[in-house]
Amino acid sequence: MRIAFFDSGLGGLTVLSTAMKRLPQEDFLFYADTLHVPYGSKAAEDVKTYIQRSIETIMEEEVKAIVIACNTATSLAVSDLRTKYDIPIIGMEPAVKPAVQINRDTGKRILVLATPLTLKEAKYRELVHRVDDRHIVDSLPLPELVQHCEALNFDPEVMKAYFRSKLEGFDLSQYGTVVLGCTHYPFYRNILCDLLPKHIRIIDGSAGTVKRLVEVLRERGLLGSSGRNDVKLLCSGGSAAYIRKMERALTIYGAMEAGNLAANEAD
């Protein structure tokens, strides 16, 4: 049986890529709700309906766990989904807690980049209230970035200009960590690394989510041993062109990650 990953579009591939490295003996399914991407700028009730329909479709496949590889979808629907289904359902949240732990004693602030809907939801506000006892977390909505990613727009100069326009009101010397609070955003990690001051760390929730996935699978005796790291790609629009785009995006992200690993080893 496969482990399913769900997102509105390409973003969840960044979480899937992390899981493929951590769980090489598993097989995977990735489902993108391409009929309704992006979620982050839509009405919450509409998005809840889209999520429910997508999970119903995923459950028609042979899956043993589902990762909601989308911060917006997690904040809106993960509790309801866990009530409805018996299989493990792993959610995501922006990596605010580890960012606060990193910056608690440094005097530096934290900037969370996310979709407008994620930042408006009570789940995000409660998270910040719970862990940000020193009031060092700021938030910045980036409503257009998902569309850039969905168009595979990774041109460094174009995207640096975009980020500069969004960040121009911030004194970046005051910040120690930037949190990528949408699973689409890690596609721009390298561009942000080149743009931001070198002292700023960039983190996201993928590693923590996959760590939790492994823990839950182990607890329930569901860890695989004979999978081939195979990935089945599906989308709500049923578009062969979008499936090819997902394949390309997964390859692009893998190359980006390999470049980061090589750079870190060189350091």
Side-chain angles (χ1 to χ4, degrees):
M1 298 180 76
R2 296 176 185 267
I3 302 169
F5 286 72
F6 163 70
D7 188 19
S8 60
L10 299 174
L13 293 171
T14 62
V15 192
L16 171 63
S17 180
T18 301
M20 291 174 69
K21 294 183 181 72
R22 181 76 186 270
L23 295 166
Q25 292 179 303
E26 298 283 358
D27 293 324
F28 303 93
L29 179 148
F30 185 86
Y31 184 91
D33 186 15
T34 51
L35 289 177
H36 304 109
V37 65
Y39 283 170
S41 56
K42 290 183 168 62
E45 288 305 313
D46 290 339
V47 175
K48 286 181 183 179
T49 300
Y50 304 150
I51 295 166
Q52 291 286 352
R53 290 174 183 168
S54 296
I55 299 303
E56 287 171 6
T57 302
I58 291 171
M59 289 299 294
E60 294 173 1
E61 303 285 329
E62 291 189 354
V63 299
K64 60 183 178 181
I66 300 175
V67 177
I68 309 299
C70 172
N71 292 278
T72 299
T74 296
S75 65
L76 288 171
V78 74
S79 295
D80 291 340
L81 294 173
R82 286 171 177 160
T83 300
K84 185 173 182 179
Y85 298 106
D86 291 333
I87 68 171
I89 297 179
I90 310 300
M92 293 197 72
E93 64 182 18
V96 176
K97 183 177 179 179
V100 169
Q101 292 171 341
I102 291 167
N103 290 269
R104 184 181 300 277
D105 299 317
T106 67
K108 297 293 187 182
R109 300 189 63 78
I110 297 158
L111 183 60
V112 180
L113 310 180
T115 67
L117 189 50
T118 291
L119 297 179
K120 285 190 293 188
E121 279 301 301
K123 192 172 190 295
Y124 174 75
R125 297 196 302 271
E126 290 164 1
L127 169 66
V128 173
H129 178 74
R130 186 172 72 249
V131 304
D132 184 22
D133 56 337
R134 300 199 178 183
H135 307 291
I136 57 175
V137 175
D138 298 317
S139 305
L140 175 64
L142 297 178
E144 309 89 358
L145 194 54
V146 170
Q147 289 95 319
H148 281 297
C149 184
E150 289 293 316
L152 300 183
N153 183 3
F154 305 124
D155 181 273
E157 296 311 310
V158 171
M159 295 314 303
K160 282 181 183 178
Y162 169 79
F163 285 117
R164 286 192 189 101
S165 72
K166 294 296 183 179
L167 294 167
E168 62 182 358
F170 293 86
D171 179 0
L172 295 177
S173 68
Q174 300 299 310
Y175 290 85
T177 301
V178 166
V179 176
L180 305 180
C182 169
T183 55
H184 283 78
Y185 296 2
F187 277 98
Y188 297 96
R189 183 191 305 273
N190 292 353
I191 290 172
L192 283 167
C193 281
D194 288 342
L195 180 65
L196 295 172
K198 298 304 180 186
H199 71 271
I200 293 181
R201 296 182 62 164
I202 302 173
I203 65 173
D204 65 76
S206 295
T209 300
V210 172
K211 179 182 178 183
R212 180 59 184 156
L213 170 66
V214 173
E215 290 171 351
V216 172
L217 292 176
R218 183 176 291 118
E219 288 167 3
R220 300 206 186 185
L222 294 174
L223 279 173
S225 59
S226 59
R228 298 174 291 116
N229 225 222
D230 179 67
V231 180
K232 182 178 182 179
L233 300 172
L234 299 173
C235 63
S236 58
S239 166
Y242 197 89
I243 297 294
R244 291 193 295 272
K245 182 188 283 191
M246 287 196 282
E247 291 171 346
R248 185 179 173 199
L250 192 56
T251 299
I252 288 171
Y253 189 71
M256 290 177 180
E257 289 292 277
N260 281 340
L261 180 61
N264 290 338
E265 288 175 346
D267 291 342

